[in-house]
Amino acid sequence: MFTAADASSSRGDSPFKATRAYGRQKAVDAAYLAQQLSVFVPAALAQRALRGVSGVGGPKPTREQLTKLHARLRALLQRDLRNVHEGLYPSSLLFQFPMSEYLKRVPELVRDLPQVYARRRGGDYRDLPDIKSAYPPYFRRTFHWQTDGYLSRRSARLYDVGVEFLFGGTADVMRRQVIPPITRFLNERAAREPNAKAARLLDVACGTGRTLAQIHLAHPTVRLFGLDLSPYYLHEARETLRHVDDISFIADNAEQMPFRDGSFDIITNVYLFHELPKNARRNVLKEMRRVLAPGGLLVIEDSAQRSESAEVTFSLERFPEEFHEPFYRDYLEDPIEDALEECGFEVLSVEPHFVAKVVVAR
C-alpha cells in the first residue's frame, strides 16, 4: 500500500516528518477500530439477549457462516481506512458516529420494542397512522415492523439508531462507500473541465439525510438535492443538514421525479431497491436515467445479493424472516447490475461491502 510515509518521502520531506505522519495515521487507524469495536460488541450482545427474550429468530448460524461474515466485516473496516489513506474522503468521516445523540434515543427505541414484537407475531403490517394520501401500496407498510412505518416523525427520529443497532455500528460505514466513485468522477471532471459549474447531486430516497451529510463533508462544493416519499423523514434530514446552506429537499415519488431531463451530474441511492417490487425498481431506474445528464454518474448501494455474495446467503435469507421485507426475496434474485443494463446504463463496477453492495454505472 502507498502510505503517508511514502508520500512524504516522495516530496523530499525529512525522515522525521515521514515517521511522524506515519505515526499519526496509525493512531487514527487504532482510534477508529476501537470506536467500531465499542459499538459492535454491545450491539451484538444486546441482539442476542433480545432474541432470547422475545423468541425471535430462526436457526443459529454455523461457525463457518459466522467466520465468513466476520471476514467481510473486517474487510469493510479495512476498506474504510484505505479510502482515507488514498484520499477518497477525509479521516473526519471516520468519527462522525453521533454516539451521544443515539444514546439519548435508545430508551425510546427500547420502549417501542414490545409493540414491534407484537406486530411481528401478529403479522400486522398495516398498523399505520390514518394518513389519507396517494402513497403507493408497497409504501403503506410497517417495514421492519417499526411503529408507523415511514409515516411519522417518531419513526424518523428512531430510524438511524435502530439501523446502527441492527448493523453493529456499520450502517454509516457502508453508506459512505458511495463516496469513492463520486470522488473519482469529480476529479476526472475537474481535469477535463477546470471551469465547470459546481456538480449537482441528487440522493434518491435520502431518508434522514445521513448519506448526504457524509457526501457534503467530503465534497462541500457539490450542490445537493434530496428526494424522499416521506415528508417526516425529510424533516429529520433538514435537521441533520441544517448547517448546509445550498441544499434542496423534495417530497415525491422516485417513480415519477419532478425534474427535467438531464438535471443532475450525479445520482446516489442507498437502501431503497430491496423495499420495492420488481416493476417499481425498473421505473425508478428509468427515471434516474432520464434525470441524469449524459455521461453522468449513478452510484447505488443496497443489500448484498446472491450474484456477488453467495458466501453470506444464510445471513441474507434470515433478514426477511426477522423483519417485514415483503419484496426482499425477489430482490435477492434480481441483481441490480442486470436491472441497470436493462434500463440503458453501462455498469462500471460491482463491489460487496459486508452485507451491502455498491454498483457504479454511467
Side-chain angles (χ1 to χ4, degrees):
M1 182 185 294
F2 186 73
T3 66
D6 297 325
S8 181
S9 297
S10 68
R11 293 192 300 269
D13 293 340
S14 69
F16 175 75
K17 287 183 178 180
T19 301
R20 187 168 57 185
Y22 182 73
R24 282 198 300 267
Q25 175 184 301
K26 288 297 184 182
V28 168
D29 292 0
Y32 166 74
L33 293 173
Q35 169 191 265
Q36 295 305 127
L37 192 63
S38 72
V39 178
F40 183 83
V41 172
L45 293 174
Q47 285 182 35
R48 183 180 300 177
L50 284 171
R51 284 194 177 99
V53 171
S54 66
V56 171
K60 293 183 179 180
T62 65
R63 182 178 296 275
E64 181 182 3
Q65 289 165 340
L66 284 175
T67 298
K68 291 178 178 178
L69 194 61
H70 290 162
R72 285 172 66 109
L73 172 60
R74 288 193 298 272
L76 171 68
L77 301 182
Q78 290 165 2
R79 166 66 73 176
D80 205 21
L81 290 171
R82 189 158 65 248
N83 287 341
V84 171
H85 299 166
E86 294 176 1
L88 296 171
Y89 46 73
S91 61
S92 54
L93 267 180
L94 302 177
F95 303 100
Q96 292 296 303
F97 192 85
M99 179 69 79
S100 60
E101 183 60 36
Y102 285 173
L103 287 175
K104 293 176 186 176
R105 303 183 188 192
V106 165
E108 188 175 2
L109 184 69
V110 172
R111 286 195 299 270
D112 194 40
L113 287 177
Q115 296 182 64
V116 171
Y117 289 130
R119 202 172 290 118
R120 181 187 184 276
R121 285 193 297 271
D124 192 2
Y125 64 88
R126 296 293 191 193
D127 181 19
L128 295 169
D130 185 21
I131 297 173
K132 306 301 182 184
S133 174
Y135 292 123
Y138 60 75
F139 191 73
R140 299 197 297 267
R141 294 173 174 270
T142 55
F143 284 100
H144 317 146
W145 302 115
Q146 64 191 18
T147 299
D148 301 332
Y150 292 127
L151 298 174
S152 75
R153 290 284 308 282
R154 176 191 186 187
S155 167
R157 187 172 60 252
L158 297 179
Y159 178 80
D160 287 324
V161 63
V163 170
E164 287 292 5
F165 172 72
L166 175 64
F167 292 121
T170 64
D172 267 358
V173 182
M174 290 188 285
R175 284 188 187 107
R176 61 176 166 262
Q177 301 316 306
V178 303
I179 298 178
I182 295 171
T183 301
R184 296 184 184 103
F185 176 82
L186 291 174
N187 289 344
E188 292 170 7
R189 185 174 183 263
R192 188 175 63 250
E193 305 173 56
N195 299 316
K197 294 181 180 179
R200 292 163 58 90
L201 182 149
L202 171 67
D203 189 29
V204 175
C206 66
T208 63
R210 294 295 301 171
T211 301
L212 282 170
Q214 295 193 89
I215 292 171
H216 176 71
L217 198 152
H219 298 290
T221 63
V222 171
R223 293 192 61 193
L224 301 178
F225 297 78
L227 179 140
D228 200 275
L229 195 51
S230 172
Y232 309 98
Y233 277 63
L234 288 180
H235 189 283
E236 192 73 15
R238 290 186 181 94
E239 286 296 306
T240 300
L241 291 137
R242 60 185 178 275
H243 60 289
V244 181
D245 295 326
D246 193 5
I247 188 167
S248 300
F249 291 105
I250 304 94
D252 218 321
N253 192 331
E255 292 188 76
Q256 292 181 309
M257 299 189 211
F259 306 116
R260 295 178 180 175
D261 295 1
S263 295
F264 301 98
D265 303 291
I266 304 167
I267 294 178
T268 56
N269 172 247
V270 179
Y271 302 145
L272 168 67
F273 282 81
H274 73 277
E275 294 190 344
L276 297 178
K278 188 171 184 175
N279 65 321
R281 288 177 219 137
R282 267 61 177 179
N283 291 340
V284 172
L285 288 175
K286 290 172 184 176
E287 276 292 274
M288 288 176 168
R289 187 175 186 275
R290 181 183 67 79
V291 303
L292 191 61
L297 180 73
L298 174 63
V299 188
I300 294 176
E301 177 165 7
D302 214 302
S303 165
Q305 295 175 295
R306 293 188 201 279
S307 56
E308 84 296 325
S309 299
E311 71 272 20
V312 291
T313 295
F314 176 85
S315 296
L316 302 180
E317 289 180 340
R318 286 184 67 183
F319 187 57
E321 293 293 334
E322 297 187 12
F323 300 91
H324 179 57
E325 291 287 358
F327 313 111
Y328 190 82
R329 291 194 182 282
D330 176 71
Y331 166 84
L332 287 181
E333 310 296 342
D334 184 28
I336 294 172
E337 54 271 26
D338 292 353
L340 281 164
E341 290 180 347
E342 286 177 30
C343 295
F345 286 94
E346 176 192 2
V347 176
L348 303 181
S349 63
V350 180
E351 292 186 355
H353 295 288
F354 189 28
V355 291
K357 67 187 291 185
V358 173
V359 185
V360 181
R362 291 204 183 180

